[in-house]
Amino acid sequence: MADGEKESPDAPTSYDEAMEALSSLITKRSRGNNSNKGNQFDLLFHYLKILELEDALDDLKIVHVAGTKGKGSTCTFTESILRNCGFRTGLFTSPHLIDVRERFRLDGVDISQEKFLAYFWWCFNRLKTTCFTLILYHIHAAEFGRYGQERTTEDVPMPPLFRFLTLLAFKIFSAEQVDVAILEVGLGGRFDATNVVQKPVVCGIASLGYDHMEILGDTLGKIAGEKAGILKRGIPAFTVQQPEEAMCVLEDKASNLNVDLQVVPPLDVNLLNGQKLGLEGEHQYVNAGLAIALSFTWLKRTGHLELANQDHTDSLPEQFIKGLTAASFQGRAQIVPDQYVDSEKDGDLVFYLDGAHSPESMEICAKWFSGAVKGEHQSDKAKPQVSSSTHQLKKNIMQVFDPSSAERVQLEILLFNCMTVRDPELLLPQLMKTCASQDVYFKKALFAPNMSVYHKVGTHALPSAVPEADLSWQLTLQRVWDNTMQKDKGREAKQVNHVAEEMKDDTGKGGGSHESSSVVFPSLPLAIKWLRDTVRQNQSVRLQVLVTGSLHLVGDVLKLIRK
C-alpha cells in the first residue's frame, strides 16, 4: 500500500475468492424496479464513516461527470490531459469489460492485482464486521423517512456492488494520494453512489439522450433533472449542446444552485496541429471539447495558473494535445483484428467493437463503423467493384465461397445482443438505417447470448459454451432484424437480402437457415467459431464484424479473441 497507509489488511487470499466476495454484493433486484430510486442513499454517508473516508473524500480534488453518452470518453480525455500535465491521476469508470480492475486506473494504468486485493479486503472486511452491528445516528425523519425521531438500532446491509466499488475507489485514490480523481457517474446522477461527493472541483454533463428510462424517466426533461443532480452550489459546471428540453432543465437547476453552467463547443480539429484524437469517431470532438473545459477549470481552481491562464480558443498547450491524442478507452470504437485465424493474409477477420446501447449511441456507432469499413474498401485494391446489377452483385458474393477465386470480397457482419430492458425496435432499425445511408449493408446478422452473467464477477463465471441457454430473447432480436429487412424497400437492401442466401450458416441450431440473412447461435463461442471457420474455408473473404448492443457483449468478445 502507499506510504502513510497505517492499516494492514488481512492477508489477501486468491483473486477468485475476492471475486466471489464481490459477487455476493450483487442484488437480485431488477434494474427497472422503482424501489431502486435513491434506495437508502443516505447509507452511503454511514459507509464513509465506517471506512474513515469522510475527510479523505473532502480532500480529493475531484472532476465529476454525468451524461447519457460520452461521459466515459470525456473522463478518459480529462484523465489523459491532466496526467500529461504532470499530475498523479485516479480514474473511476464503469462498467468493466474483462477485469473489474479496469474500473480503477492509476496514472492511466489499471490498478495492480496486489494493490487491488489489499484495498479490497481492507474495505470488505471492515464493512462486513461493522454493518450488522452499527447503531444508527440521530437522523431527522425528513432525511431518512422510514425511521422515527428516536434513536434506533437497525441492521445496516452491506452496500450493493456499485456502491461498494465506488467506496473502494475513494479508498484507493485517497491512499494512493492522487492529485486528481476523475469520477464517471454510473447511472443517472442524483442518487448515483458517486454523488456522495459534496465538494468537487468541477462538474461536467455530457450529451443527454434516452437511456435507462425505466429508472430515470421517460422524457428528456426528467432524465436531465436526474443528471443535473450532480451539480453542487457554487461549483462551476460545463455541458455540451443539448436538446432544448434537456437544456432548459439543466439551466434551471444550475440557476437554483448559483452554478455557472457553460456550454462548450466541440474541439476544433485545427487545434490538434495535424494529429488525431486517441478515440475514434466524429462525436469524440464533442467529448474532447468538454474535457478541455473541465481540465482548464480544474487547473485554475487548484492554483496551477501557468497552464490554466492560456487562451485555448486559438491554441492548446502541448500537454493537452498529447493527452487528447494518446487517450485510449476499451470497447468504444475499438478495432481488433482476430489473432487466432491462421490465414495467408492479415485482417481477414476484424472485429469493430462499440458498446452502444441507446438509439443515439447506436447512430453514432453506425456512422463510425461505416466510415471505418468504407476506408478499408477503398484501401483494398484486390476487392472487386460491386455493380449495381443484381446479377453482378450475386456473382461477387458467390465468389466468397469459391476457393479458386483469386479476388477477396469484404463483407460486413453484425454480431449483436442487448439487455432485455432495451427496446430492439429502437436499436436495430436505427443501426440498419444509418449504415444504409452510408452505403454499408450487413450481409449477415448473428445473435448470441452473452457469456457474462449478472450474479457473478470475474472470469470464473464464463463458461466456454451454454448448451442449455435460453435463446428466447435472441430469437426476438432476430425477428426484429428480419422484419426490418423485409420492411426496407430500398433497392440495395433488397439486393443484399437476396444474394445473402448464398452465405452458408453451417450451425444447424438456433433458428438459422440457408435462406435467412440472420442466425441465432446457442453460445457466443460458437458464433466466433463460425466466423473463423468461414474465413478459413474461404480464402477470398474478409469479414468485418461489428459487435455492438451491449458493453457486456463487447467484453465477452474481447475475452475470446485476445491471446
Side-chain angles (χ1 to χ4, degrees):
M1 300 183 87
D3 294 340
E5 185 67 11
K6 296 180 180 179
E7 289 99 352
S8 177
D10 293 345
T13 55
S14 72
Y15 194 65
D16 280 346
E17 286 178 315
M19 295 302 98
E20 288 286 357
L22 196 54
S23 297
S24 71
L25 303 180
I26 299 176
T27 61
K28 301 294 191 294
R29 184 182 296 116
S30 167
R31 289 176 58 235
N33 189 321
N34 287 333
S35 65
N36 282 338
K37 257 191 179 180
N39 188 29
Q40 301 184 16
F41 179 81
D42 289 322
L43 279 178
L44 281 161
F45 296 96
H46 295 292
Y47 297 137
L48 288 176
K49 189 172 185 66
I50 294 170
L51 297 174
E52 300 177 4
L53 287 174
E54 294 169 302
D55 293 339
L57 185 57
D58 286 342
D59 291 339
L60 285 175
K61 295 178 174 62
I62 291 171
V63 178
H64 198 192
V65 183
T68 303
K69 51 188 185 294
K71 62 183 186 293
S73 298
T74 298
C75 288
T76 299
F77 279 130
T78 304
E79 184 278 332
S80 188
I81 289 171
L82 294 177
R83 173 162 42 87
N84 279 279
C85 286
F87 297 100
R88 179 158 171 75
T89 60
L91 173 63
F92 178 61
T93 59
S94 61
H96 63 275
L97 298 182
I98 298 176
D99 192 307
V100 71
R101 293 181 295 115
E102 298 166 23
R103 298 178 184 238
F104 315 93
R105 305 194 85 185
L106 296 170
D107 290 329
V109 179
D110 298 351
I111 189 171
S112 69
Q113 189 171 117
E114 180 182 8
K115 283 186 175 181
F116 175 85
L117 286 172
Y119 292 125
F120 173 84
W121 287 117
W122 190 90
C123 291
F124 189 87
N125 290 338
R126 176 165 285 218
L127 285 167
K128 196 164 186 66
T129 300
T130 309
C131 275
F132 295 103
T133 58
L134 177 68
I135 298 178
L136 297 181
Y137 303 96
H138 291 291
I139 303 174
H140 194 275
E143 295 177 306
F144 209 15
R146 72 188 186 94
Y147 295 107
Q149 297 278 353
E150 299 299 321
R151 181 173 177 170
T152 182
T153 300
E154 184 84 9
D155 283 346
V156 176
M158 284 287 284
L161 178 65
F162 184 76
R163 288 185 178 180
F164 177 84
L165 293 174
T166 303
L167 295 164
L168 179 57
F170 297 150
K171 178 64 178 178
I172 291 170
F173 295 157
S174 62
E176 291 291 323
Q177 300 177 341
V178 300
D179 297 314
V180 55
I182 300 99
L183 306 180
E184 178 193 2
V185 167
L187 174 61
R190 183 162 60 113
F191 293 127
D192 186 74
T194 62
N195 206 33
V196 73
V197 170
Q198 299 299 296
K199 299 177 181 178
V201 174
V202 61
C203 297
I205 298 179
S207 299
L208 299 180
Y210 292 99
D211 196 16
H212 303 297
M213 293 186 293
E214 74 281 2
I215 296 176
L216 303 180
D218 56 1
T219 69
L220 279 179
K222 291 177 182 178
I223 293 170
E226 294 296 321
K227 307 288 185 180
I230 71 166
L231 301 180
K232 301 296 185 293
R233 183 169 297 278
I235 301 296
F238 296 86
T239 189
V240 299
Q241 190 60 51
Q242 307 283 6
E244 183 178 0
E245 179 183 356
M247 187 64 76
C248 288
V249 173
L250 294 182
E251 291 173 343
D252 183 61
K253 297 282 186 180
S255 177
N256 291 337
L257 292 170
N258 192 30
V259 169
D260 179 19
L261 178 66
Q262 297 183 45
V263 179
V264 296
L267 168 66
D268 183 346
V269 66
N270 295 316
L271 297 182
L272 294 177
N273 296 339
Q275 300 186 61
K276 291 179 60 178
L277 286 176
L279 306 184
E280 293 284 343
E282 289 298 315
H283 62 290
Q284 294 295 358
Y285 289 91
V286 174
N287 302 325
L290 180 56
I292 290 169
L294 294 172
S295 299
F296 268 116
T297 302
W298 186 91
L299 290 166
K300 183 176 181 179
R301 299 198 73 220
T302 55
H304 302 283
L305 301 180
E306 68 278 6
L307 286 169
N309 285 338
Q310 181 171 337
D311 180 8
H312 59 277
T313 57
D314 297 323
S315 64
L316 287 175
E318 191 61 35
Q319 299 94 324
F320 275 54
I321 295 176
K322 186 175 181 181
L324 290 167
T325 57
S328 63
F329 197 19
Q330 275 202 122
R332 283 76 170 178
Q334 183 179 9
I335 303 174
V336 182
D338 187 42
Q339 300 175 354
Y340 284 92
V341 173
D342 297 323
S343 67
E344 298 178 358
K345 306 180 183 68
D346 293 331
D348 281 346
L349 177 57
V350 180
F351 292 89
Y352 295 75
L353 302 130
D354 193 274
H357 50 263
S358 70
E360 296 87 355
S361 60
M362 195 61 65
E363 180 180 5
I364 291 171
C365 168
K367 289 179 178 178
W368 161 72
F369 174 71
S370 299
V373 297
K374 286 176 74 175
E376 289 292 328
H377 274 295
Q378 293 167 3
S379 63
D380 187 1
K381 296 180 180 179
K383 175 186 174 296
Q385 295 298 313
V386 177
S387 166
S388 59
S389 162
T390 302
H391 173 76
Q392 182 62 41
L393 184 59
K394 180 173 181 178
K395 179 180 177 182
N396 290 334
I397 296 298
M398 291 181 68
Q399 285 178 346
V400 173
F401 301 98
D402 178 7
S404 64
S405 174
E407 297 177 317
R408 301 171 79 205
V409 178
Q410 179 171 296
L411 300 178
E412 284 70 55
I413 307 293
L414 174 65
L415 177 53
F416 187 92
N417 194 36
C418 65
M419 297 179 66
T420 55
V421 294
R422 311 289 181 196
D423 185 354
E425 296 279 3
L426 297 177
L427 301 182
L428 289 171
Q430 179 69 275
L431 175 64
M432 186 185 296
K433 175 184 176 182
T434 305
C435 285
S437 71
Q438 305 293 314
D439 293 324
V440 171
Y441 302 93
F442 292 101
K443 310 308 184 290
K444 199 73 156 181
L446 316 181
F447 302 97
N450 295 348
M451 294 162 60
S452 304
V453 290
Y454 79 93
H455 59 281
K456 289 287 185 182
V457 178
T459 55
H460 62 282
L462 302 179
S464 59
V466 190
E468 302 299 327
D470 178 4
L471 300 177
S472 56
W473 177 242
Q474 284 67 45
L475 291 169
T476 297
L477 298 176
Q478 182 187 40
R479 283 193 293 272
V480 172
W481 178 264
D482 290 344
N483 289 340
T484 304
M485 288 286 287
Q486 293 173 7
K487 291 177 183 176
D488 191 335
K489 302 301 182 182
R491 174 178 57 85
E492 293 289 347
K494 280 185 176 181
Q495 292 175 356
V496 171
N497 196 26
H498 173 67
V499 299
E501 297 175 6
E502 302 299 331
M503 292 193 68
K504 301 176 183 177
D505 288 332
D506 294 333
T507 63
K509 298 179 181 179
S513 70
H514 293 293
E515 290 73 30
S516 175
S517 63
S518 63
V519 60
V520 170
F521 287 88
S523 73
L524 188 57
L526 287 177
I528 300 297
K529 180 180 183 299
W530 181 86
L531 292 166
R532 289 170 173 164
D533 288 346
T534 299
V535 170
R536 291 186 183 114
Q537 296 166 9
N538 303 277
Q539 292 298 313
S540 59
V541 68
R542 297 182 66 194
L543 297 186
Q544 310 286 79
V545 184
L546 174 61
V547 182
T548 191
S550 164
L551 278 167
H552 300 289
L553 175 68
V554 167
D556 290 343
V557 170
L558 280 172
K559 294 184 184 82
L560 292 169
I561 66 176
R562 281 187 166 173
K563 288 185 178 179

